[in-house]
């Protein structure tokens, strides 16, 4: 049984068997010598036995394993690698079927390649998860054929690998590296002119070309043979909170991901940027009740805590209660802070229901309401309407797009910062907004 289970018959064997059967039929119909089909049959048996001997004479003719990251990044292509080592004395034709997690809903992931004797090969493919949680990989099935190709031997490796899918830590690392190397403009981050003058003094240094003459320290310059200037820095240790709405308005999917997961990914990135800017970052999640609260901080383990909190967010997509959010923020956040509220409003009427609570939050903190464009409706407004039904759909789409613009104006009229963005541009636009507010010294 151990030899039969990994044994598989190939199409080439069925073709050869069919040819031998046809020889027997032709010999019967045309009265050929029966020795011709019998010889072909014996030759076929001999070739099959030879093929079986080539494949099964080595206990382990092939070794392989799947290499997966410790965790996958949600919404990003993640590289999965398959490593192969051929111990057979012949060039092996290999077919690979990897049992990927059921969340991807793919059954077409297979590869074909040839591995020379003693050769080691590594192939890679990518998977893009769109939901957080644990993903279970199944068996890595590798089918090996000899140059004869009548039989195939199956090898099974890498059983039951469970990999968690975390919020997009790959985006976090990308923007962190760009910020360190001053290449944020490559990702669409704008260079924002600094308005006014920073007031937090850092040190007195020697004047160099380009320094502002207004910052010359005349007392220090009098004691030196050259000019000295005061050097200022961005104000530090300011608090920033990401308020993540987990209600039903955040269930809408774009490119496979819900708005909630877009907000979670953006919160992870902007929290990391804020900590790199020496600010404190915290989190509050809510729907009908308050979910999780992580006080703002910039300790060494703050980002790891933020990552774990975001990974463990679960929601029933209930109706969001902004009055509960306002009460909680007033009780827990005493210092004036930047509040980035990730939510969604589809109509001006839905905004008016929550506007009193948003105005109350804006009186005590710098509130930025971040909500989403409906990109599907936006695309509909630019298409040509071919009939009455198409005209109706286009008019409705334009009304919804107009409502989004009205929401921005209504928030601005009450002194509330607003950011309307497409889901795929959420991270970049949020960083831009944060840097703009820092440059204007608003918090």
């Amino acid at each position: 049984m151990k030899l039969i289970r990994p044994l598989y018959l190939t199409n080439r064997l069925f073709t050869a068997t069919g040819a031998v059967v046809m020889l027997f039929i032709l010999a019967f119909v045309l009265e050929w010598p029966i020795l011709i089909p019998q010889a072909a049959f014996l030759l076929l048996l001999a070739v099959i036995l030879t093929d079986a001997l080539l494949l099964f004479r080595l206990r382990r003719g092939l070794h392989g394993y799947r290499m997966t990251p410790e965790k996958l990044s949600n919404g990003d292509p993640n590289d999965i690698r398959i490593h192969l080592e051929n111990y057979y004395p012949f060039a092996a034709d290999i077919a690979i079927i990897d049992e990927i997690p059921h969340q991807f809903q793919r059954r077409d992931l297979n590869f074909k390649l040839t591995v020379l004797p003693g050769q080691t090969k590594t192939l890679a493919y990518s998977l893009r998860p769109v939901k957080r949680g644990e993903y279970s990989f199944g068996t890595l099935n590798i089918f090996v054929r000899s140059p004869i190709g009548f039989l195939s031997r199956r090898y099974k490796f890498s059983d039951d690998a469970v990999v968690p899918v975390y919020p997009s830590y790959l985006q976090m690392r990308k923007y962190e590296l760009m910020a360190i190397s001053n290449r944020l403009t490559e990702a669409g981050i704008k260079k924002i002119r600094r308005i006014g003058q920073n007031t937090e003094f850092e040190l007195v240094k020697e004047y160099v070309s380009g320094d502002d003459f207004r910052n010359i320290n005349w007392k220090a310059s009098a004691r030196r043979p050259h000019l000295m200037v005061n050097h200022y820095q961005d104000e530090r240790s300011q608090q920033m909170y990401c308020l993540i709405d987990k209600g039903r308005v955040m269930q809408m999917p774009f490119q496979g991901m819900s708005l909630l997961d877009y907000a979670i990914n953006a919160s992870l990135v902007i929290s990391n940027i804020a900590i790199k800017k020496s600010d404190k970052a915290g989190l509050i999640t809510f729907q009908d009740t308050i979910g999780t609260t992580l006080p703002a901080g910039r300790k060494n383990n703050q980002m790891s805590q933020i990552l774990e909190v975001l990974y463990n967010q679960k929601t029933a997509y209930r109706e969001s209660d902004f009055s509960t959010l306002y009460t909680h923020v007033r009780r827990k956040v005493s210092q004036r802070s930047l509040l980035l509220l990730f939510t969604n409003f589809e109509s001006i009427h839905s905004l008016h229901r929550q506007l009193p609570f948003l105005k109350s939050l804006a009186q005590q903190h710098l509130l930025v309401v971040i909500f989403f464009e409906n990109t599907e409706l936006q695309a509909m407004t630019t298409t040509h309407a071919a009939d009455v039904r198409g005209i109706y759909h286009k008019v409705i789409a334009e009304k919804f797009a107009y409502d989004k613009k009205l929401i921005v104006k209504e928030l601005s009229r009450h002194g509330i910062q607003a950011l309307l963005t497409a889901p795929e541009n959420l991270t970049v636009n949020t960083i831009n907004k944060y840097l703009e507010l820092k440059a204007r010294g608003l918090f």
Side-chain angles (χ1 to χ4, degrees):
M1 287 294 291
K2 291 183 177 180
L3 291 178
I4 296 176
R5 284 180 180 176
L7 176 64
Y8 288 80
L9 308 181
T10 66
N11 291 336
R12 187 178 297 181
L13 174 60
F14 290 118
T15 303
T17 304
V20 172
V21 171
M22 287 301 299
L23 285 177
F24 275 103
I25 294 174
L26 291 174
F28 177 78
V29 173
L30 302 177
E31 297 183 354
W32 288 354
I34 194 65
L35 291 177
I36 296 177
Q38 288 179 342
F41 176 69
L42 293 175
L43 178 62
L44 177 62
L45 287 180
V47 173
I48 292 173
L49 292 174
T50 304
D51 199 5
L53 183 63
L54 289 174
L55 290 174
F56 289 93
R57 72 184 185 89
L58 293 180
R59 183 177 180 181
R60 192 182 69 166
L62 184 85
H63 180 62
Y65 55 89
R66 180 199 306 114
M67 295 179 285
T68 58
E70 291 184 2
K71 53 182 179 288
L72 300 179
S73 178
N74 193 24
D76 300 316
N78 296 264
D79 288 336
I80 311 295
R81 299 182 182 275
I82 297 176
H83 182 80
L84 300 172
E85 298 177 17
N86 182 17
Y87 301 135
Y88 283 112
F90 53 82
D93 293 324
I94 293 175
I96 301 172
I97 299 177
D98 196 2
E99 297 177 1
I100 62 175
H102 66 87
Q103 289 92 334
F104 294 104
Q105 291 298 298
R106 290 180 59 185
R107 298 294 180 267
D108 59 346
L109 196 66
N110 54 74
F111 309 94
K112 293 183 179 180
L113 68 157
T114 300
V115 184
L116 300 176
Q119 187 181 23
T120 298
K121 272 193 176 182
T122 301
L123 60 91
Y125 64 94
S126 64
L127 296 174
R128 180 181 176 266
V130 293
K131 295 182 70 175
R132 290 165 290 113
E134 290 188 343
Y135 283 51
S136 298
F137 286 83
T139 303
L140 176 63
N141 300 283
I142 302 179
F143 298 87
V144 182
R145 293 192 306 174
S146 71
I148 297 174
F150 282 178
L151 303 176
S152 179
R153 179 179 179 181
R154 184 179 75 170
Y155 290 89
K156 298 169 66 176
F157 302 104
S158 304
D159 291 343
D160 301 329
V162 179
V163 182
V165 174
Y166 274 75
S168 182
Y169 64 89
L170 291 181
Q171 285 189 36
M172 181 188 72
R173 292 174 182 172
K174 180 183 76 171
Y175 288 110
E176 179 180 347
L177 290 173
M178 286 183 173
I180 293 173
S181 57
N182 294 319
R183 294 189 297 111
L184 281 173
T185 52
E186 296 179 10
I189 310 299
K190 302 174 184 176
K191 286 187 176 180
I192 300 173
R193 183 172 62 89
R194 197 165 297 277
I195 300 173
Q197 191 72 30
N198 292 322
T199 58
E200 189 168 326
F201 175 78
E202 184 178 17
L203 53 86
V204 178
K205 69 181 186 71
E206 184 179 342
Y207 174 83
V208 295
S209 178
D211 284 339
D212 194 339
F213 286 108
R214 294 173 296 179
N215 294 332
I216 294 177
N217 188 321
W218 296 108
K219 290 184 178 180
S221 300
R223 297 191 294 268
R224 300 289 181 90
H226 42 258
L227 292 175
M228 304 294 292
V229 295
N230 294 331
H231 187 258
Y232 299 91
Q233 64 180 2
D234 291 333
E235 293 184 17
R236 300 188 175 191
S237 297
Q238 297 169 299
Q239 289 191 161
M240 184 207 71
Y241 277 88
C242 291
L243 313 181
I244 303 176
D245 184 354
K246 300 192 299 181
R248 64 181 184 181
V249 296
M250 300 292 281
Q251 189 178 11
M252 189 180 299
F254 288 93
Q255 297 182 1
M257 282 179 59
S258 67
L259 294 182
L260 175 61
D261 280 308
Y262 278 108
I264 285 175
N265 288 348
S267 298
L268 180 66
V269 174
I270 194 63
S271 297
N272 189 48
I273 293 292
I275 289 175
K276 295 301 176 184
K277 291 284 185 181
S278 300
D279 286 334
K280 297 177 181 178
L283 288 171
I284 298 176
T285 65
F286 71 101
Q287 45 182 330
D288 56 330
T289 59
I290 298 299
T292 307
T293 301
L294 180 65
R298 57 186 182 93
K299 298 176 291 186
N300 292 334
N301 65 338
Q302 184 72 5
M303 279 311 303
S304 61
Q305 290 186 43
I306 291 174
L307 183 61
E308 289 298 328
V309 167
L310 291 175
Y311 169 70
N312 290 310
Q313 291 306 307
K314 293 180 174 60
T315 176
Y317 291 112
R318 298 189 178 97
E319 185 72 24
S320 300
D321 188 347
F322 281 77
S323 63
T324 302
L325 173 66
Y326 166 69
T327 304
H328 184 77
V329 170
R330 185 172 182 178
R331 183 161 48 90
K332 293 292 185 180
V333 185
S334 56
Q335 178 183 336
R336 177 176 167 82
S337 307
L338 170 63
L339 305 181
L340 301 178
L341 173 59
F342 295 91
T343 186
N344 196 35
F345 296 110
E346 286 297 328
S347 68
I348 191 69
H349 305 292
S350 62
L351 170 68
H352 284 155
R353 290 198 301 269
Q354 313 300 345
L355 192 56
F357 308 111
L358 300 180
K359 289 165 60 178
S360 299
L361 283 173
Q363 289 175 358
Q364 301 171 357
H365 304 278
L366 177 58
L367 176 63
V368 181
V369 177
I370 303 171
F371 61 109
F372 299 89
E373 293 178 356
N374 192 322
T375 53
E376 300 294 330
L377 290 180
Q378 284 291 116
M380 192 178 293
T381 60
T382 59
T383 58
H384 176 70
D387 51 20
V388 175
R389 180 187 292 269
I391 294 173
Y392 175 77
H393 289 165
K394 187 172 182 178
V395 169
I396 296 299
E398 289 176 349
K399 180 192 179 300
F400 276 105
Y402 180 68
D403 270 4
K404 294 281 187 178
K405 295 176 182 178
L406 282 182
I407 292 171
V408 174
K409 289 184 178 181
E410 185 72 7
L411 289 170
S412 300
R413 190 169 69 87
H414 291 91
I416 301 173
Q417 299 281 337
L419 176 59
L420 176 62
T421 176
E424 62 268 21
N425 300 327
L426 174 63
T427 300
V428 170
N429 290 338
T430 304
I431 296 174
N432 277 329
K433 193 66 176 179
Y434 167 78
L435 296 178
E436 175 194 341
L437 297 175
K438 289 287 289 184
R440 294 170 60 185
L442 295 182
F443 85 105

